[in-house]
Amino acid sequence: MASLNMLIFVCISYVALLFIVAFVADRLAAKGRSTWLRSPIIYTLSLSIYCTAWTFYGAVGYAARSGLEFITIYLGPTLVMIGWWWGLRKLVRIGRSQRITSIADLVSSRYGKSNLLAIFVTILAVIGVTPYIALQLQSITLSFSIFSEADPSGANYSETATVFWVAAGLAVFAVLFGTRNLDANERHHGVVTAIALEAVVKLFALLAVGVFVVWGLSGGVTETMARIDASEIGQWQMKSGRWTAITFLAAAAFICLPRMFQVMVVENDDERHLRTAAWAFPLYLLMMSLFVVPIAVVGLDLLPAGSNPDMFVLTVPLSQGRDGLAMLAFLGGFSSATSMVIVAAMALSTMVSNHIVMPIWLSYRGGGASVSGDVRSVVLLSRRVSIAVIMGLGYFYFRLSGGGAALASIGLIAFAGIAQILPALLGGIFWRGATKVGALAGLSVGFALWVYTLLLPGVGAGLVSDAVIQHGPFGIGWLRPQALFGITGLDPLVHSVMWSMALNASAFTLVSLFGFPSPIERLQGAQFVNVFDHSSGPRGWSGSVAQVEDLMIMSQRILGAAEANALFQRQAVLQGGRGHLPDPTPTFLQTLERELSGSVGAATAHAMVGQIVGGSSVSVQDLMAVADESAQLLEYSSQLEAKSTELARTARQLREANEKLTQISLQKDSFLSQVSHELRTPMTSIRAFSEILRDTSGLAEDEQSRYATIILDEAMRLTRLLDDLLDLSVLESGQVTLNLREGVLVDVLDHAVSTVVAGADVPLIVRRRRAGEKVALKSDLDRLAQVFINLIANAQKYCDAERPELTITAHHIGGQLVVDMIDNGSGIPADVQAMVFEKFARVNAEKAGGAGLGLAICREIMHRLGGDITYLTGQTGGAFRVTMPLTLPQSTELAAQ
Amino acid sequence: MSDDRSSPLVFLEHQSYRRNRLADAARLLPVIGAAVLSVPLLWPGADSATVLAGEAEAVRMSKAILYIFGTWAGLIALSVVFGMAARRWGQSDGPQRSGQG
């Protein structure tokens, strides 16, 4: 007989072997020489933590009690795996592209990084998984006790101490290999390799016991089949509700269990491994369940009635004296339990520390995660403590429940609890309309119903009284936990699964339909649902070695070549001066990021460095921060643009003003010289003739009179010139007083025409349409007449036609009175048209009679009267247009008063 | 096969067409699996009315084991075939295409 000490020795040696394997695998992975560690086979074997001690030992017991129903536990995951193209592929791709670290993280990321959801899922997972861990501890303890009973010298065996040491040992293993480093992607090569080895051991152990039972004890396949048919489970018996419900639960739990999510999604190195696992893992499950029924039947046959069927895997070989085989079977069960506990503790600790401990710690510190080194150590510490706490919870749960039958039923109850995550998860990756509030509603409803209909009646014996279960709370019959809404006669598990999943999914769907997601939820939703459009194809997580050359190129683009070279060289010297490129240490990357953020903004710099160093995709938050920064830059640049346009406009205005000033200065100069010239000509003749009159004696009477007349004429011309100048300056300075009267246009024109035509040498023919001129107006009629006189006189003076004619027409255009005066001469040459209204501008120097101020005065008068005078181009002769308002504008009237 | 993801073609080449139909079949696989694994629900069990009345005989456990493990193995074999096909695409035109249905 195998002694207990021998068993403990084997056990410790086995654990030591696992330690070595995990250690070597971690070292290999760190050196990057771990290609076989990343093979699809290792991935498939790591998935086998689905087969816990509950399935290793429990399946046989299950078969002994309920026939083939146990197989549904394996059929559910099989269906999920062979449908990988449909669901798991998407889940794994999302997990990789979003850097998901746990199922709580996945749900929270999908629904806009909601930490509330993450906490909810974490708590659900802890409640669901803790009893499950207790179940594993129980199975190890039970197997120990089997050996101690069989051990002739086994006196000093203590169940409590065994459980304690097993739990402590598992916690140490999980802490050592699960929290050695803080990998951004949460992958643990050591642990994964160790559980792959354990997967082989447990499969081999179960197959060995099966082969022994079929060929060693029963004598072959045919005989075994006959024996099965003859046994008490030899006839097909099936509760169809349970068959369907458990298959569904197993499928749901396979996806939602934190430890399965950990190995399937988080530890996945390469999406392509799925296509191998898709057939290899169902094959593994098939082999695990192949010999379950034969072992159960033979156990029922050989062992005395009342033996625990859960331990047939151990007790059948022991009863036949096969100690070695029993030892192997023990190691198989031990492997199943340990691998599950280690991974579950790791997955849960990640969730607890990321979603519960860290947020609390960060908000307690208040400063945010600004000091990264600090945070790393805190995260690691919180994970280690979380693992210890979770193992402690499992241990205390085991102690409190006292083991036994109450624990055996916990497996399916845990499955049903964990499956409540399924609607939020599936909705999240397939339906863009799923919202955070919907997910919360679904989870709450499902969780509450699960607790009320399954957990409390099933486990919490004493928490719910029998009266409540029989008659409902407060005697309300339709609220009975196991017969909701009066539907009785259902299996409690089927009842609970049906109601909780149906109401969970309905609440989730309805609340999502009527809610409206926040922008970040919608963004994340699009990223999750359309993950195949956004992410690149299957590529391993590897290649995360920082590429300093890439960083260098990027920095050169942003900082400029010289600055970037200087920065990199400075850093290389600081690091010890090996070569001219620095190593990508965290300090260097931080410095670089800070330098870059000065140029492109903190978020952009972080995203750029992360892109190159991490080789991972940029999160939506990063993108939004980048967008914010870009928007700020855009706004700034548009402000700059507006300012520069304004500056350009001001400069143009200044330039124009300057030109105008120059022109005015020139005008002033020319005006002065013109005025002096105009004054000097008459003054010269006045002086000359006055001197003649003074100095020449004996002038004839008529000569004296002629000279005096010349002097008088010139003096009058001077006076007229000075009058004109005075008039112009008064008009220009705006000090003119207008004498407003009401009158008719035709009278004004009559006066003007008669003034000019009277006494002319060459008669000017004036053509008028008097009918159109009968327009009443209110204006300074004298000034207006002055304008008309000037224009008509100009026509008389300058019209070069043989029979000079002037056509005067008056009409209304847009509320304005327009008077056109067009003669039949050759008109004003185009090059001087713009100048005719300037002072002293004379078109034809020979014919010059006046000082060239007439038109300038006309224009000033018309401006004062609220109108204008322009030269009309495109007419046959010289043409002027006088426009004026029918009534004076308000301002002019005021000025006139 | 061009790798033009931005403008999906309406008509694909023969090879791509076959590939898409194979992907359809792969999606169908879990449905088929669920269907064939639901067949045992129809079997007369030891406690069903027809068996108790003596009109029919309950299905023997050995037959049930053969049926369930047989269909299970069949599903695994189909999955192997699809996995091989998926691997062949992966080698023929790079990993980029596997994102497309």
Side-chain angles (χ1 to χ4, degrees):
Chain A
M1 274 295 187
S3 72
L4 195 60
N5 287 337
M6 174 72 176
L7 184 74
I8 293 170
F9 173 72
V10 168
C11 207
I12 290 175
S13 313
Y14 181 66
V15 172
L17 173 71
L18 290 182
F19 264 95
I20 292 167
V21 166
F23 183 73
V24 171
D26 260 350
R27 288 293 292 270
L28 281 178
K31 284 184 187 162
R33 290 192 297 136
S34 55
T35 44
W36 66 272
L37 288 181
R38 299 202 179 117
S39 69
I41 295 298
I42 296 282
Y43 178 67
T44 309
L45 287 176
S46 72
L47 288 182
S48 75
I49 56 155
Y50 179 75
C51 303
T52 63
W54 177 49
T55 51
F56 186 84
Y57 292 123
V60 174
Y62 203 152
R65 292 187 198 97
S66 323
L68 264 182
E69 194 181 286
F70 82 93
I71 215 158
T72 51
I73 299 286
Y74 300 104
L75 291 183
T78 299
L79 292 179
V80 172
M81 283 310 292
I82 62 176
W84 67 286
W85 188 259
W86 194 81
L88 285 187
R89 195 172 63 107
K90 193 166 195 176
L91 208 57
V92 168
R93 177 74 69 89
I94 290 171
R96 235 192 33 221
S97 67
Q98 299 283 326
R99 287 183 275 170
I100 298 297
T101 59
S102 66
I103 184 155
D105 191 29
L106 180 94
V107 173
S108 120
S109 300
R110 164 59 182 86
Y111 298 107
K113 307 264 173 189
S114 154
N115 207 44
L116 182 64
L117 262 177
I119 291 173
F120 207 121
V121 173
T122 304
I123 291 174
L124 186 64
V126 170
I127 293 179
V129 173
T130 307
Y132 212 159
I133 291 176
L135 182 62
Q136 308 304 312
L137 296 178
Q138 185 199 24
S139 74
I140 296 179
T141 319
L142 263 180
S143 55
F144 265 112
S145 69
I146 295 279
F147 274 88
S148 83
E149 280 165 20
D151 186 4
S153 64
N156 53 351
Y157 170 75
S158 155
E159 188 178 272
T160 334
T162 312
V163 176
F164 178 79
W165 287 114
V166 166
L170 291 177
V172 167
F173 191 95
V175 165
L176 275 183
F177 290 98
T179 63
R180 258 159 54 110
N181 52 355
L182 200 57
D183 184 16
N185 304 318
E186 299 292 349
R187 266 167 306 131
H188 311 88
H189 289 287
V191 172
V192 168
T193 314
I195 62 176
L197 175 67
E198 291 190 299
V200 175
V201 169
K202 64 192 179 197
L203 178 63
F204 182 70
L206 202 58
L207 286 181
V209 174
V211 168
F212 169 69
V213 162
V214 171
W215 281 278
L217 292 178
S218 303
V221 178
T222 329
E223 290 80 358
T224 311
M225 285 301 194
R227 203 165 176 174
I228 288 171
D229 286 345
S231 73
E232 57 189 87
I233 56 169
Q235 282 193 327
W236 176 254
Q237 46 186 343
M238 174 55 54
K239 296 181 181 110
S240 55
R242 281 181 71 86
W243 177 272
T244 319
I246 297 175
T247 307
F248 167 76
L249 270 190
F254 183 66
I255 303 169
C256 298
L257 275 172
R259 66 170 196 278
M260 290 316 298
F261 192 87
Q262 175 82 25
V263 289
M264 195 156 56
V265 177
V266 181
E267 308 271 357
N268 179 285
D269 267 318
D270 189 333
E271 188 177 307
R272 281 168 288 187
H273 291 171
L274 269 181
R275 66 185 179 212
T276 305
W279 58 265
F281 185 63
L283 187 64
Y284 184 93
L285 293 178
L286 186 143
M287 290 197 286
M288 282 297 279
S289 48
L290 197 56
F291 292 111
V292 167
V293 177
I295 295 173
V297 168
V298 170
L300 285 172
D301 235 16
L302 289 182
L303 295 174
S307 338
N308 184 357
D310 284 337
M311 287 290 133
F312 279 173
V313 179
L314 277 182
T315 46
V316 168
L318 273 180
S319 70
Q320 301 300 310
R322 300 287 182 142
D323 285 1
L325 190 60
M327 192 71 82
L328 187 62
F330 169 79
L331 278 186
F334 185 72
S335 300
S336 313
T338 50
S339 55
M340 178 271 164
V341 171
I342 289 166
V343 179
M346 269 167 49
L348 282 183
S349 78
T350 304
M351 286 158 69
V352 169
S353 88
N354 280 7
H355 302 298
I356 298 179
V357 178
M358 287 317 289
I360 293 173
W361 186 77
L362 285 177
S363 68
Y364 174 71
R365 275 201 56 213
S370 51
V371 200
S372 66
D374 213 354
V375 174
R376 286 171 75 87
S377 62
V378 171
V379 169
L380 282 180
L381 183 67
S382 83
R383 291 216 178 145
R384 286 168 185 158
V385 172
S386 305
I387 289 182
V389 168
I390 288 161
M391 293 302 297
L393 280 178
Y395 172 71
F396 283 113
Y397 190 91
F398 173 73
R399 291 293 306 278
L400 286 177
S401 69
L407 266 183
S409 61
I410 199 73
L412 282 177
I413 296 180
F415 272 22
I418 290 295
Q420 302 305 328
I421 305 172
L422 191 71
L425 181 71
L426 286 189
I429 66 173
F430 287 111
W431 183 34
R432 285 180 63 172
T435 68
K436 178 179 103 180
V437 187
L440 268 176
L443 274 175
S444 314
V445 168
F447 179 70
L449 277 170
W450 169 68
V451 169
Y452 182 64
T453 61
L454 200 58
L455 189 65
L456 289 183
V459 179
L463 287 177
V464 188
S465 68
D466 281 348
V468 171
I469 293 182
Q470 292 300 320
H471 308 292
F474 314 110
I476 305 170
W478 57 274
L479 279 182
R480 274 173 292 169
Q482 296 184 334
L484 277 184
F485 309 112
I487 300 176
T488 53
L490 280 178
D491 180 88
L493 180 77
V494 177
H495 172 267
S496 170
V497 169
M498 186 189 80
W499 282 118
S500 62
M501 291 310 290
L503 294 182
N504 177 343
S506 311
F508 169 64
T509 315
L510 283 178
V511 175
S512 290
L513 280 178
F514 289 104
F516 196 81
S518 67
I520 186 144
E521 276 181 75
R522 298 173 74 184
L523 266 174
Q524 288 291 82
Q527 287 228 323
F528 274 55
V529 175
N530 303 328
V531 66
F532 291 118
D533 302 337
H534 296 307
S535 62
S536 58
R539 187 161 37 96
W541 283 104
S542 56
S544 63
V545 181
Q547 272 127 17
V548 185
E549 284 88 354
D550 288 348
L551 285 173
M552 180 80 175
I553 292 166
M554 182 186 75
S555 314
Q556 281 180 340
R557 283 196 194 131
I558 295 170
L559 299 173
E563 282 84 351
N565 278 328
L567 172 72
F568 276 62
Q569 239 158 28
R570 209 162 51 236
Q571 291 293 321
V573 169
L574 276 179
Q575 285 182 2
R578 292 155 294 172
H580 75 290
L581 282 179
D583 293 333
T585 59
T587 329
F588 165 63
L589 293 177
Q590 224 169 9
T591 316
L592 181 65
E593 194 183 311
R594 209 164 42 239
E595 289 285 334
L596 292 179
S597 68
S599 306
V600 292
T604 316
H606 182 75
M608 292 172 110
V609 173
Q611 192 77 38
I612 291 179
V613 178
S616 46
S617 60
V618 183
S619 76
V620 177
Q621 263 112 344
D622 292 346
L623 282 180
M624 286 179 84
V626 170
D628 279 351
E629 270 171 7
S630 316
Q632 279 169 12
L633 280 178
L634 266 181
E635 191 177 341
Y636 183 59
S637 85
S638 77
Q639 275 173 7
L640 276 183
E641 205 173 331
K643 275 184 184 151
S644 114
T645 329
E646 198 181 317
L647 274 180
R649 201 165 48 238
T650 317
R652 198 170 59 241
Q653 283 169 351
L654 277 177
R655 224 171 12 248
E656 282 170 4
N658 189 34
E659 267 172 31
K660 214 167 185 171
L661 279 177
T662 320
Q663 273 180 359
I664 287 172
S665 162
L666 282 174
Q667 269 179 9
K668 187 197 72 191
D669 288 351
S670 69
F671 177 72
L672 278 178
S673 68
Q674 295 266 13
V675 168
S676 354
H677 178 75
E678 295 292 334
L679 288 178
R680 207 179 58 185
T681 318
M683 283 303 278
T684 311
S685 43
I686 288 172
R687 218 178 83 191
F689 285 107
S690 339
E691 275 176 4
I692 291 171
L693 283 177
R694 189 191 67 189
D695 298 337
T696 316
S697 51
L699 275 175
E701 189 74 12
D702 61 326
E703 269 182 333
Q704 274 187 13
S705 137
R706 195 158 59 85
Y707 292 160
T709 313
I710 290 173
I711 290 171
L712 182 67
D713 281 352
E714 290 298 318
M716 278 172 67
R717 198 173 133 201
L718 269 178
T719 314
R720 209 163 51 238
L721 181 65
L722 289 174
D723 278 347
D724 280 357
L725 277 175
L726 201 62
D727 202 12
L728 192 63
S729 100
V730 165
L731 282 167
E732 278 186 341
S733 66
Q735 290 165 343
V736 65
T737 36
L738 296 177
N739 177 22
L740 293 184
R741 282 184 293 130
E742 291 190 358
V744 189
L745 180 63
V746 68
D747 294 341
V748 183
L749 280 173
D750 281 346
H751 168 64
V753 170
S754 60
T755 310
V756 177
V757 174
D761 305 336
V762 189
L764 175 74
I765 301 160
V766 178
R767 297 182 186 282
R768 293 169 59 189
R769 276 186 54 243
R770 306 181 72 91
E773 293 167 2
K774 289 180 176 158
V775 182
L777 49 96
K778 184 181 181 188
S779 189
D780 187 332
L781 299 181
D782 294 338
R783 286 288 189 183
L784 198 56
Q786 187 187 347
V787 171
F788 289 144
I789 289 168
N790 205 307
L791 287 176
I792 298 166
N794 273 358
Q796 189 177 41
K797 221 182 287 177
Y798 297 117
C799 183
D800 48 5
E802 275 182 37
R803 294 182 59 220
E805 278 184 18
L806 181 70
T807 315
I808 301 177
T809 50
H811 41 95
H812 297 274
I813 293 179
Q816 295 250 322
L817 176 62
V818 176
V819 180
D820 287 343
M821 296 198 175
I822 304 167
D823 65 29
N824 60 345
S826 55
I828 298 174
D831 51 340
V832 287
Q833 279 171 5
M835 281 177 51
V836 290
F837 295 107
E838 298 301 322
K839 288 172 279 247
F840 303 111
R842 273 171 299 201
V843 176
N844 200 332
E846 303 112 54
K847 283 196 172 182
L853 291 173
L855 283 175
I857 292 173
C858 285
R859 194 177 59 170
E860 283 305 322
I861 291 172
M862 288 320 295
H863 283 175
R864 290 296 140 211
L865 294 178
D868 200 2
I869 176 165
T870 50
Y871 186 76
L872 277 182
T873 52
Q875 300 294 329
T876 49
F880 288 89
R881 164 167 290 184
V882 177
T883 49
M884 67 191 114
L886 285 171
T887 51
L888 277 176
Q890 205 73 25
S891 57
T892 316
E893 283 207 62
L894 284 175
Q897 291 155 9
Chain B
M1 179 69 212
S2 71
D3 198 353
D4 190 3
R5 294 163 71 90
S6 57
S7 58
L9 298 169
V10 178
F11 298 107
L12 299 167
E13 292 168 32
H14 179 76
Q15 193 191 353
S16 316
Y17 182 85
R18 281 270 66 85
R19 171 184 312 169
N20 287 354
R21 296 295 77 75
L22 201 59
D24 291 347
R27 287 198 185 85
L28 207 58
L29 205 53
V31 180
I32 296 169
V36 295
L37 290 173
S38 304
V39 170
L41 297 178
L42 306 172
W43 292 343
D47 51 355
S48 65
T50 49
V51 174
L52 292 177
E55 293 164 11
E57 200 179 333
V59 172
R60 309 187 71 76
M61 186 57 95
S62 55
K63 294 268 166 40
I65 290 176
L66 281 180
Y67 176 83
I68 288 172
F69 280 93
T71 50
W72 199 347
L75 288 175
I76 291 170
L78 286 176
S79 193
V80 171
V81 170
F82 178 68
M84 304 278 245
R87 174 164 316 189
R88 213 169 47 242
W89 312 337
Q91 284 163 355
S92 66
D93 58 15
Q96 292 291 326
R97 291 293 302 180
S98 64
Q100 304 277 309

